[in-house]
Amino acid sequence: MLATAACLAGCGGGNAPVQLAVAPGPAAPAGTVDTFAVASRALGRTMNVALYLPPGGARHPILYLFHGFGGNGAAFFDAGLAINRAADRLGTPLVIAAPDYDNGFGVNTTPAQGTQTSGGTIGLYEDYLMTEMLPAVESRLGVTATRADRRIGGVSMGGFAALHLALRHPEMFSRVGAHSAALWDYSGADQFTGQRDWLYPTPALRAQRDPLLLAQHADLRGLRFYLDVGDRDPLRKQDEAMQAVLGAASEFHVGSGGHDAQFWRSRLEDWLSFYSAA
């Protein structure tokens, strides 16, 4: 538009068009990403938490975001999905805490319950996350968070962890996201059945851990869920089963893609919109 206007003003008589430089607009304010350690008695070692603070500080809702199998909390930020850059671009008023929790699925497991883990990590991860990590984050932020302030979500194994923790502690969270969640419904479509059988070695332990069963009995009042999955994801059927149990408490989205970072990056803006809503 500016170059055209300049030509209309003085481009007669064979003169070359005048090109006006357009000054770039101001860059969006950037939040910060830091990592701090939490000393865990439940696990007997220190654990890292990657923490994103939006411009303006910590007085915002907190999203507890859980990584997938083999990952870590830092993978959500610049080295991986770069959700912090999406939040900066959108101006999302949201603190994001992404804890490391090994391949623990967010549940309490002990060697006595079975050691054939298929890569899962044995430990008191639910105790660590709920009674040590969460208070440590809020203490570091200098806030006293309420249920309305806390949101929880995750990808793949992290989707399982988010559902498990929210359904076990529904009084603690207001919004729950499960993205390509690793779930099992004991159909022929189940993936990674070795992990399933380690997590659910007995009917009693399955009842304590399986989000599909927990959701049938949990008080869902005050909880809002968001599930999404790629149309080529081998876990799609199980995620559809989770949506069927949650019903009106959840929204469900099937996007174009598989079970991978490319699909998750394509969903970042939708995730942030859900998690930052009042």
Side-chain angles (χ1 to χ4, degrees), residues 152-239:
I152 187 170
V155 299
S156 193
M157 177 184 74
F160 175 101
L163 289 167
H164 167 79
L165 293 171
L167 292 167
R168 291 265 294 170
H169 307 274
E171 76 286 355
M172 296 294 290
F173 305 100
S174 58
R175 288 182 168 257
V176 187
H179 314 297
S180 311
L183 299 169
W184 296 272
D185 64 357
Y186 285 84
S187 71
D190 273 0
Q191 306 288 311
F192 307 106
T193 55
Q195 294 171 12
R196 177 197 69 188
D197 296 343
W198 167 62
L199 285 166
Y200 308 152
T202 67
L205 284 172
R206 184 186 175 198
Q208 294 174 24
R209 297 171 177 172
D210 185 352
L212 285 162
L213 297 184
L214 290 170
Q216 295 177 20
H217 306 290
D219 183 355
L220 303 183
R221 289 174 298 178
L223 282 173
R224 186 67 194 164
F225 294 83
Y226 180 107
L227 276 60
D228 62 350
V229 66
D231 56 3
R232 301 187 301 277
D233 193 322
L235 297 174
R236 176 177 172 178
K237 180 180 181 298
Q238 287 76 10
D239 288 1

Side-chain angles (χ1 to χ4, degrees), residues 16-40:
V18 177
Q19 299 293 330
L20 297 183
V22 178
T32 61
V33 178
D34 191 14
T35 301
F36 72 99
V38 178
S40 171

